[in-house]
Amino acid sequence: MNQRYSTLRILLVLGIIVVVNVIAMRFFKRFDLTHGSIYTLSGVSKNLVGALDDKFIVKAYFTSDLPAPYNNNKRYLQDQLDEYRAYGGGNFQYEFIDPSKKEELKQEAQKYGIPPVQVQVLKDDKLQIQEAYMGLVMMYGDKQERLPVVRPESNLEYELSSTIKRMTSRDLKKIGVLTGHGEPPLQQIGRVQEMLAKQYQVTTVDCAGGKAIPADIAVLLMIAPDKPLKNWEKFLIDQYLVKGGRVGFFLNKVNANLQNQAGRPLNLEVDDMLESYGVRINTDLVRDASCAYVSLQQQAGSMIMQTQVPFYYLPRATDFDKASPIVKDLGSVVFYFASSIDTSLARARGYVTEVLITSSKRSGRQENYFMIDPRTPMTQEMFKESGIPLAVTVEGAFVSAFATKPIGADTSVTAVLDTTSKVVSGKLTKIAVIGDGDFLQDQYSGGNKDNFLLATNVIDYLADDIGLASIRSRDSGSKPLDEVSEGTRAWVKGINLALPSILVIMVGVVRWRWRIGTRKRLESRAL
């Protein structure tokens, strides 16, 4: 009877295990305790893969039995692909292929654009170089895209979801970048352009000759012009906006030259137009105690040394609107000589404003005379302000800036402007305004990833495509500590220095008293 009961128990346990595995295959669930659940598919990704109407096939070309830490790459990828397949309703499929097994598989991988990479492995107590494959190709219908190398530090969910969206979309929205006024070429915003290309078509827009802004432009960007716009150019932008277009104004109001250590006001002749939309970029420079550092050469005897010093006119912003999907997952954005923004006019006109980013609690502004020498001594009086707006959005049915204002004649316009169909009261639309046109440029960003994330997230918001922004920002850069006063820093340092010694002394005293007590008990028993 005991043997029979033991057999039944074993069979019952095996049956429970089989049932649990069958249920697990049909109902997927993951417990993710990381901040922001970065290892769990977002709702946007689930909707994208769940809406597939045809087979989306992923071929992962991965070398098997790679040593640490490269073996984690395959596990990381497989976990992600399993989750996509769980929500794909049968239309998301994947397979792993090891090209190192057969020569024809190597040729197949290279045909898809998956090259071998060299990895360092420790074998027989020697550091050796090994050839490995760690890429994948994605196929949907007659479309095909690839990810040559998968790395754990990459934002794999964003790569996969943006590819699914791009491959399943019939038409990609167009992002237009205004040119003709000294704006930086697209090559100087290469990182942002690369990120936008995953979801949009990026093109330039030139209003030369009075050409209207194309109606198929979903978002128009005005990035760091250094020459004033003419009335008829502003009229074309104004009409594009009031007819329902979206515009991002990334503008410099002070032309700051770090080499000359001085700046001068920059008049772009757009103040009247922005004010009609309820926004004013002030002609000032925001300084902030929370800032980036610059390298200075300093003489030390007969030697010249490079020293890192804080530069208060390069604000490192960390105060974001945590309710906004545009910025809520960012760590810090470094601005390059930013100007403050005034939105009081928007509230007076009934427009909806949202301040995305503000300066820290210790900040201030420089006005009228702009000296930007990093060696200039700073005083507490210079940092008496708090929460200065640096980036805002405004929504509303904007009234045209030319509702009661004539365009004026301009002999440089070769074409005749069509003013007969001028729209005065517009459709519901939105704009974004940032008082810095350099933060998204490769040469001024300092390589800070959150700078590029801010720019692309703002564009997603303007294009009504904010969904993937929450995924893109998951793997953002540094998470700086909160700013604290000098007194708090000194107190924390003191605690860190004193507490370990105090704990050791307390443990010693307790142990000493325990040994005395033990000795007394033993002596009393002996008596």
Side-chain angles (χ1 to χ4, degrees):
M1 289 294 292
N2 289 338
Q3 185 176 1
R4 187 176 299 173
Y5 284 139
S6 298
T7 304
L8 287 174
R9 288 194 192 99
I10 293 172
L11 292 175
L12 182 60
V13 170
L14 291 175
I16 291 173
I17 293 173
V18 170
V19 171
V20 168
N21 277 274
V22 170
I23 294 174
M25 290 176 63
R26 294 180 175 274
F27 301 96
F28 184 88
K29 183 63 179 175
R30 167 179 286 176
F31 296 97
D32 188 346
L33 302 181
T34 59
H35 177 69
S37 301
I38 61 175
Y39 292 107
T40 303
L41 283 191
S42 66
V44 176
S45 295
K46 293 175 185 178
N47 293 336
L48 279 172
V49 73
L52 290 172
D53 56 4
D54 200 356
K55 299 295 182 184
F56 190 95
I57 299 172
V58 177
K59 287 188 175 183
Y61 291 91
F62 251 79
T63 301
S64 302
D65 303 323
L66 284 174
Y70 306 104
N71 55 349
N72 292 330
N73 292 17
K74 182 177 180 180
R75 180 74 264 170
Y76 169 63
L77 174 60
Q78 189 168 355
D79 287 344
Q80 286 278 8
L81 295 177
D82 281 338
E83 198 164 357
Y84 274 94
R85 184 172 61 182
Y87 293 104
N91 281 328
F92 187 96
Q93 300 176 359
Y94 76 88
E95 62 174 327
F96 275 86
I97 302 170
D98 185 357
S100 62
K101 302 296 184 183
K102 295 181 181 179
E103 185 62 32
E104 54 266 28
L105 293 178
K106 291 184 180 180
Q107 295 176 4
E108 180 181 313
Q110 293 180 16
K111 182 188 72 173
Y112 284 127
I114 309 297
V117 295
Q118 292 184 335
V119 298
Q120 292 183 340
V121 298
L122 188 64
K123 191 173 183 180
D124 298 330
D125 297 327
K126 295 180 180 178
L127 193 62
Q128 302 178 5
I129 301 297
Q130 179 179 334
E131 188 179 84
Y133 288 85
M134 294 186 292
L136 53 88
V137 60
M138 293 155 280
M139 293 173 283
Y140 181 78
D142 59 350
K143 299 178 181 179
Q144 187 181 111
E145 294 205 22
R146 64 189 174 90
L147 186 60
V149 182
V150 174
R151 305 182 188 277
E153 65 270 16
S154 64
N155 194 335
L156 185 58
E157 182 186 354
Y158 176 70
E159 295 288 346
L160 289 171
S161 293
S162 61
T163 301
I164 292 173
K165 183 172 183 179
R166 185 167 60 252
M167 295 178 72
T168 56
S169 298
R170 290 185 175 87
D171 297 307
L172 296 178
K173 293 180 179 179
K174 287 185 179 180
I175 306 300
V177 181
L178 191 67
T179 61
H181 314 91
E183 296 90 349
L186 291 181
Q187 294 88 337
Q188 291 186 21
I189 57 169
R191 185 71 183 277
V192 171
Q193 185 184 7
E194 179 185 347
M195 296 170 71
L196 290 175
K198 297 179 183 297
Q199 296 175 241
Y200 308 102
Q201 294 182 45
V202 182
T203 184
T204 56
V205 174
D206 191 353
C207 297
K211 293 181 294 186
I213 297 170
D216 62 346
I217 296 294
V219 177
L220 179 68
L221 301 178
M222 189 185 298
I223 303 174
D226 60 10
K227 297 176 183 176
L229 275 69
K230 298 175 181 177
N231 259 2
W232 60 267
E233 292 175 312
K234 293 190 292 183
F235 173 75
L236 295 175
I237 296 171
D238 173 85
Q239 290 299 288
Y240 165 79
L241 177 65
V242 297
K243 290 178 181 177
R246 286 51 184 313
V247 184
F249 297 96
F250 304 155
L251 305 178
N252 297 323
K253 284 305 296 289
V254 176
N255 186 5
N257 189 311
L258 188 54
Q259 291 183 339
N260 296 337
Q261 299 179 358
R264 60 177 178 81
L266 186 60
N267 186 10
L268 301 174
E269 299 289 351
V270 297
D271 292 351
D272 55 344
M273 182 171 69
L274 285 177
E275 288 176 10
S276 70
Y277 309 142
V279 181
R280 180 188 296 112
I281 303 179
N282 299 315
T283 307
D284 58 20
L285 287 179
V286 175
R287 51 180 171 243
D288 201 320
S290 173
C291 60
Y293 282 66
V294 295
S295 295
L296 290 181
Q297 288 187 349
Q298 292 185 340
Q299 190 80 28
S302 60
M303 300 177 60
I304 297 178
M305 302 180 63
Q306 290 282 348
T307 307
Q308 293 283 320
V309 297
F311 193 23
Y312 303 106
Y313 293 102
L314 304 183
R316 182 179 292 276
T318 59
D319 292 338
F320 305 114
D321 180 1
K322 295 303 181 182
S324 171
I326 303 175
V327 295
K328 69 181 182 66
D329 294 318
L330 299 183
S332 66
V333 174
V334 178
F335 289 103
Y336 192 83
F337 300 109
S339 297
S340 63
I341 300 174
D342 182 358
T343 60
S344 58
L345 294 173
R347 290 190 292 271
R349 293 181 175 132
Y351 301 147
V352 179
T353 62
E354 181 180 8
V355 178
L356 301 177
I357 306 176
T358 60
S359 64
S360 73
K361 296 178 180 179
R362 296 179 59 215
S363 55
R365 318 179 206 212
Q366 187 178 49
E367 300 174 300
N368 302 323
Y369 185 65
F370 301 102
M371 293 300 296
I372 50 176
D373 187 349
R375 290 177 286 255
T376 302
M378 296 291 171
T379 64
Q380 293 297 325
E381 292 295 317
M382 296 181 178
F383 302 97
K384 295 180 67 174
E385 292 189 72
S386 173
I388 300 172
L390 300 173
V392 304
T393 60
V394 185
E395 297 186 23
F398 299 113
V399 175
S400 171
F402 294 87
T404 59
K405 176 183 174 181
I407 302 171
D410 192 333
T411 56
S412 65
V413 184
T414 57
V416 178
L417 290 176
D418 180 14
T419 60
T420 58
S421 57
K422 178 173 70 173
V423 177
V424 174
S425 182
K427 297 180 180 178
L428 188 66
T429 186
K430 48 192 173 182
I431 63 174
V433 182
I434 299 178
D436 178 13
D438 299 325
F439 77 96
L440 71 168
Q441 297 185 47
D442 297 345
Q443 61 179 328
Y444 299 122
S445 66
N448 185 38
K449 185 178 178 181
D450 284 341
N451 281 34
F452 310 125
L453 290 174
L454 170 63
T456 49
N457 288 359
V458 166
I459 294 167
D460 284 345
Y461 157 79
L462 293 173
D464 288 331
D465 204 3
I466 196 64
L468 288 178
S470 60
I471 312 172
R472 187 197 293 125
S473 303
R474 275 182 167 185
D475 191 31
S476 63
S478 62
K479 303 294 185 185
L481 297 174
D482 294 335
E483 286 289 326
V484 295
S485 65
E486 291 295 333
T488 303
R489 291 181 189 176
W491 184 76
V492 172
K493 287 180 182 178
I495 291 291
N496 287 337
L497 289 172
L499 187 60
S501 300
I502 293 173
L503 289 176
V504 170
I505 293 172
M506 290 178 62
V507 170
V509 169
V510 171
R511 183 174 175 81
W512 173 60
R513 297 301 304 171
W514 177 79
R515 293 183 66 179
I516 291 176
T518 302
R519 187 184 301 117
K520 287 183 177 180
R521 285 195 299 270
L522 291 175
E523 289 175 352
S524 64
R525 289 176 184 175
L527 291 176

